[in-house]
Amino acid sequence: MSIWKAIFLGLLQGFTEFLPVSSSGHLAVAQNFFGFDSSQSVSFTVLLHLGTLAAVCIMYRRDVWMLLKGFFTLVGKLCTGRLRREGLQNGERLFLLLALATLPLLPAVFLEEYVESLSAVSWAVGVLLLLNGAILCVSDKLASGTESLETAGPGKALLVGVVQMFAIFPGISRSGSTITGGLFAGFRREDAVKFSFLLSIPAILGANLLKLPDLFKAGLSGESAVPMLLGVAAALLSGIAAIKLLRYITKNKSFTPFSIYCVLAGAAVILADLLI
């Protein structure tokens, strides 16, 4: 893989992972129309996702640290019987909300082969991009609620998790669907965005843990190490930029430009697949 192709795919992954336009859909289209060595695809895809995971951890480092502490204190309370007496702290509550919202993704393990086969059908990815544009249009119609992450109940977290299930399909944005789900559940807009980004941590980790056997099987060659590392760096930096941009847009603007983009991109992919 060339350095420029690796950087391009890294930038594509970083921006589209967090902007509501579907990273899986864009990467599928890029691979279908431009392609790269299939023996490197698994390892490189995993590394790109780890780059975007690092972007979330950097941008939300205080929340991530609170989650880690919350996990260990929650385990301590469960083991010592202090949970009923002391209740839940913020980090513990947030950890449980994320765990509940991640549960609906477990059945996705059984759909992996189907999703991978769907990624190879460009016109199908185009249709899903059109659907993603419609989801973003709906998101703009939903008013910001009053629920915060400190007061949200388990039902609202599960609702966001159920909506996130649709993002396993290439062309449906995980961030767009979960933010929409959060708004539908009554979250304040800024809390819906934060929950969406934090929810990407278990989603990315879980998806890549499943690919670890394939990663070790594919291996990394010495000559591909430099392009892959540059691609990961591009994914990290563009991921940070995308998070900052989406937080600003969600607070001050609408998703209309992204909705229009997805509709145009989806239509272009369908036409290209039919004509080429």
Side-chain angles (χ1 to χ4, degrees):
M1 182 187 303
S2 70
I3 289 177
W4 294 114
K5 184 178 288 187
I7 292 175
F8 168 74
L9 290 173
L11 292 173
L12 188 65
Q13 168 66 27
F15 280 119
T16 59
E17 178 69 36
F18 300 118
L19 295 180
V21 294
S22 177
S23 62
S24 58
H26 280 73
L27 287 175
V29 170
Q31 292 173 21
N32 293 343
F33 285 104
F34 305 105
F36 60 85
D37 187 358
S38 60
S39 65
Q40 296 178 341
S41 60
V42 173
S43 54
F44 189 50
T45 299
V46 170
L47 291 174
L48 289 183
H49 278 89
L50 292 179
T52 52
L53 176 63
V56 178
C57 292
I58 290 171
M59 293 300 296
Y60 287 93
R61 52 192 176 276
R62 292 181 180 176
D63 296 285
V64 171
W65 177 242
M66 184 174 66
L67 281 170
L68 289 173
K69 290 193 297 183
F71 168 73
F72 288 109
T73 56
L74 181 60
V75 171
K77 287 182 178 181
L78 288 172
C79 293
T80 59
R82 293 183 292 115
L83 180 59
R84 180 175 298 181
R85 185 173 66 253
E86 298 181 9
L88 294 172
Q89 301 300 318
N90 285 342
E92 297 161 354
R93 170 183 286 274
L94 184 56
F95 175 82
L96 288 177
L97 290 178
L98 290 175
L100 285 170
T102 303
L103 284 179
L105 282 181
L106 295 180
V109 175
F110 304 102
L111 298 174
E112 183 179 5
E113 291 186 6
Y114 173 74
V115 171
E116 288 182 354
S117 63
L118 187 64
S119 298
V121 183
S122 295
W123 68 264
V125 177
V127 171
L128 289 169
L129 282 170
L130 293 177
L131 178 59
N132 190 65
I135 292 173
L136 296 178
C137 185
V138 170
S139 180
D140 273 344
K141 304 298 181 182
L142 296 173
S144 178
T146 58
E147 196 76 71
S148 70
L149 293 179
E150 288 75 26
T151 60
K156 295 184 182 296
L158 278 173
L159 175 59
V160 177
V162 170
V163 174
Q164 184 180 216
M165 283 184 61
F166 296 100
I168 66 173
F169 297 104
I172 303 297
S173 165
R174 195 205 59 79
S175 62
S177 61
T178 50
I179 291 173
T180 302
L183 292 173
F184 190 76
F187 281 111
R188 296 181 303 189
R189 191 166 287 268
E190 57 268 29
D191 285 281
V193 173
K194 178 187 285 190
F195 194 62
S196 171
F197 285 136
L198 293 177
L199 193 54
S200 70
I201 296 175
I204 294 173
L205 279 176
N208 286 285
L209 283 175
L210 295 174
K211 295 182 181 295
L212 282 181
D214 296 327
L215 173 61
F216 292 131
K217 187 183 299 183
L220 295 174
S221 64
E223 63 181 20
S224 66
V226 172
M228 285 189 175
L229 288 175
L230 289 174
V232 172
L236 169 63
L237 295 176
S238 58
I240 290 174
I243 291 173
K244 289 184 176 182
L245 178 61
L246 187 59
R247 289 197 305 196
Y248 170 78
I249 289 174
T250 306
K251 191 173 182 179
N252 300 283
K253 307 290 182 180
S254 73
F255 282 155
T256 300
F258 295 114
S259 178
I260 294 173
Y261 168 78
C262 285
V263 170
L264 293 177
V269 169
I270 294 171
L271 287 175
D273 193 37
L274 294 175
L275 296 177
I276 295 178

